Amino acid sequence: ERRAPGEEAFRPLAVVQGRVSTNYLDGKRDPGDLKDEARYAYRIRPFNAVGSRGAWSAPAEAVTRPPPPPPTDVTAQSGLPRAVRVSWAASPDLKVIGYRIERAEGADGPFAQAGQVEGLATTQFLDRAGAPRSAPAGQLRDGTFYRYRVCALNTAKAASPWSEPASATTKPAPTTPTGLSATTN
């Protein structure tokens, strides 16, 4: 039986058959479906083939794995044509399998997903706002201030808290030519 966080009573969880079966993986698999960084209590009791049951064991407690830590050293490169390169340090959590990146326009605009990268060691994202790689420039706005934040995702798809934001400004559009003149004849 298991007692989940915030519950008073134990609830049936599983029946493990066999005299030599001495373990059980809660959460259905690894990674499982239990809450992150939560304390669960368990108790067991033996039974025999005719249905006689022994006394419950003393409760044993376990705490599930915490979500990954937020990415650190997040930087954003300014001056790219309609694009921003975002970089960060690799997570120290070896269960991390990727990162999610969000973008906000301006100093107080709302964040929205800009992209996602796979792999613990993938620590860069070139935000071209969906422009194909063959395009000469991205689709962000010229000369615009953007803020970025990054979170790490582990094997259970649990997300870390968001990183501290980093900001960058895209390359400005060319200035209007001046001194235009024409000759006659």
Side-chain angles (χ1 to χ4, degrees):
E1 292 185 339
R2 174 181 72 198
R3 183 176 61 217
E7 293 182 355
E8 294 291 323
F10 281 87
R11 295 179 188 230
L13 179 61
V15 175
V16 179
Q17 300 285 337
R19 213 178 145 87
V20 295
S21 297
T22 60
N23 60 50
Y24 174 78
L25 177 62
D26 190 11
K28 300 187 179 128
R29 62 192 181 285
D30 183 12
D33 57 6
L34 300 176
K35 294 179 183 176
D36 293 321
E37 203 167 14
R39 183 176 301 277
Y40 292 89
Y42 298 89
R43 68 181 186 179
I44 61 172
R45 70 176 171 178
F47 63 93
N48 65 18
V50 295
S52 296
R53 299 175 185 271
W56 286 107
S57 68
E61 292 189 347
V63 177
T64 54
R65 181 182 192 82
T72 59
D73 302 327
V74 178
T75 60
Q77 181 182 353
S78 291
L80 299 176
R82 298 182 184 164
V84 173
R85 183 179 312 282
V86 183
S87 303
W88 56 91
S91 177
D93 184 344
L94 298 180
K95 292 282 187 178
V96 166
I97 61 167
Y99 303 90
R100 183 177 300 135
I101 302 93
E102 286 191 342
R103 165 191 351 105
E105 187 175 322
D108 55 0
F111 280 98
Q113 185 160 339
Q116 188 167 316
V117 295
E118 302 297 320
L120 171 66
T122 305
T123 58
Q124 287 190 38
F125 173 72
L126 180 61
D127 183 16
R128 294 170 50 90
R133 288 180 180 230
S134 60
Q139 294 179 339
L140 295 175
R141 294 170 16 133
D142 292 321
T144 303
F145 178 78
Y146 291 98
R147 293 176 296 128
Y148 290 87
R149 64 185 185 179
V150 182
C151 76
L153 303 169
N154 69 15
T155 56
K157 303 292 189 244
S160 74
W162 288 104
S163 68
E164 289 296 319
S167 59
T169 302
T170 54
K171 184 177 181 177
T175 56
T176 305
T178 60
L180 181 63
S181 64
T183 58
T184 57
N185 295 331

